[in-house]
Amino acid sequence: ALAFLDGLAKRFPEAVVDFYPYNMLSKERQSPYLTRLPRAVAELPLPNGDPESKFRFERLTQEGRYLHLQLSPDQWAELERDAVLAAERHPHLHNDRWLDECFAKIDDEQDRHDLLAEYHLKTHWKIILAGAKGAGMFNHSDTLQTSSWHAHLAGRKWWYVCGALSDDDDAASGQTTCFEGVVEPGEILYYGKGWMHETQNLETPTITITDTAVHARNYDAVADMLHRECAYKALDFKISGALCDALDACYDVMADLYGDVGSSSSSRPRPKWRSLASAELIAKRDATSALDNNYDGRNYITE
């Protein structure tokens, strides 16, 4: 498993990851450090206080290091091309039809490429997660109201998930079901819209690849969240005006693909984001390039 991570670091040596040298299950958790992938892979198995580590803390209640590699469409395609990720997967594990159809409307190929990359990176759409024994993620739900699948590559991971089993169940009213278990290599875990989830790695390293899913059960909620982000900065993803313009065309695509048979894509019309956003927010978004992101060198990166 460590050899897989070493190979990944050699494949993407300039990639910048979100690195958590402390345990996200700890009460002392903080924001992640930005770290080059090779450095993060080398750091992952080191205990706190190791002289080889660039991240040493005098007080740390709970050990366990984690790295999150946000994958661009180019990186995802490369992993499929080289059979690191199986290109032939179950249809439920192919989730980007709406993105492909929507962004195909952008005429300029470079603009299309850059905006797709921006969308993936800023929404954390596809991720490789690798962690040491004991590392975990606190209880939370996904902010975009999406669903997600997690393919387990190495190690063992404890999961605790709670959510509504059907549309008739209302999570807000307490109509939820919880599951607890250990996911083994070769297994895939899926959770739906709004499901709370907490995890902890049981071995070093534990490695998972995850993708985000939009479908008939959640597309309307996802469209609402993206629209609110563009118009009101609901999630503060810091996305560009050009990406918000592209997303304006995506909501009808979602409805056409995933809406009820016989329903119209205009059944829930959403005004253009520019008609709702403040002048200040429009100016801020238009000043943002699709290439601007947390991993572009504007913030300090630990080499």
Side-chain angles (χ1 to χ4, degrees):
L2 286 173
F4 171 84
L5 292 177
D6 287 338
L8 198 67
K10 292 176 181 177
R11 180 184 293 273
F12 304 127
E14 297 302 312
V16 178
V17 305
D18 297 308
F19 184 65
Y20 301 83
Y22 51 87
N23 199 318
M24 290 296 286
L25 292 174
S26 169
K27 294 180 181 178
E28 298 179 355
R29 59 179 179 261
Q30 308 166 30
S31 298
Y33 290 82
L34 297 178
T35 313
R36 297 288 179 192
L37 178 57
R39 164 56 60 182
V41 169
E43 290 275 353
L44 198 65
L46 298 180
N48 182 48
D50 191 293
E52 296 294 321
S53 175
K54 290 195 174 184
F55 304 95
R56 295 190 294 274
F57 304 91
E58 292 182 1
R59 295 180 58 213
L60 195 64
T61 59
Q62 206 170 349
E63 290 198 7
R65 298 178 164 203
Y66 231 138
L67 71 84
H68 294 182
L69 171 61
Q70 314 296 335
L71 293 169
S72 70
D74 287 346
Q75 290 170 325
W76 186 268
E78 181 175 332
L79 294 176
E80 287 186 326
R81 183 196 69 205
D82 295 344
V84 177
L85 170 66
E88 296 297 324
R89 303 189 296 277
H90 189 281
H92 289 172
L93 304 182
H94 286 279
N95 308 112
D96 290 344
R97 184 180 173 188
W98 73 274
L99 278 170
D100 294 340
E101 292 194 12
C102 173
F103 281 76
K105 300 176 183 291
I106 302 172
D107 293 330
D108 185 271
E109 183 176 351
Q110 188 63 52
D111 287 346
R112 182 166 62 250
H113 172 275
D114 292 346
L115 290 172
L116 269 172
E118 179 188 9
Y119 181 84
H120 278 69
L121 292 176
K122 291 182 179 177
T123 61
H124 298 187
W125 206 248
K126 304 177 190 299
I127 316 173
I128 290 179
L129 307 98
K133 181 179 180 180
M137 188 59 64
F138 57 86
N139 196 30
H140 68 286
S141 64
D142 296 344
T143 55
L144 274 177
Q145 295 298 301
T146 49
S147 303
S148 183
W149 57 262
H150 295 247
H152 210 59
L153 306 182
R156 299 162 63 242
K157 181 181 289 188
W158 170 84
W159 282 82
Y160 190 77
V161 295
C162 293
L165 289 176
S166 73
D167 292 335
D168 295 329
D169 293 336
D170 182 4
S173 66
Q175 298 297 315
T176 62
T177 302
C178 296
F179 299 93
E180 180 180 9
V182 174
V183 180
E184 306 277 352
E187 296 181 337
I188 296 175
L189 181 140
Y190 168 90
Y191 57 77
K193 177 190 71 175
W195 278 63
M196 303 294 294
H197 47 285
E198 182 176 354
T199 64
Q200 186 170 35
N201 299 330
L202 303 181
E203 298 176 7
T204 300
T206 297
I207 307 171
T208 304
I209 188 165
T210 179
D211 192 11
T212 306
V214 175
H215 46 65
R217 293 284 295 276
N218 68 3
Y219 79 92
D220 211 34
V222 176
D224 278 345
M225 291 304 299
L226 289 171
H227 186 254
R228 288 178 56 209
E229 164 59 15
C230 283
Y232 307 116
K233 202 171 70 169
L235 302 171
D236 199 21
F237 283 168
K238 297 178 173 60
I239 58 181
S240 68
L243 178 54
C244 283
D245 291 339
L247 289 171
D248 269 343
C250 291
Y251 310 131
D252 282 354
V253 172
M254 288 183 182
D256 288 341
L257 288 173
Y258 309 122
D260 294 336
V261 176
S263 68
S264 168
S265 63
S266 61
S267 59
R268 290 201 60 192
R270 294 175 176 85
K272 300 295 186 183
W273 75 274
R274 291 180 184 271
S275 70
L276 301 173
S278 67
E280 180 183 4
L281 181 57
I282 292 172
K284 187 174 183 178
R285 294 215 186 281
D286 284 342
T288 301
S289 164
L291 302 178
D292 295 343
N293 59 69
N294 284 340
Y295 314 104
D296 64 3
R298 69 181 57 206
N299 300 310
Y300 180 77
I301 299 170
T302 302
E303 302 288 351

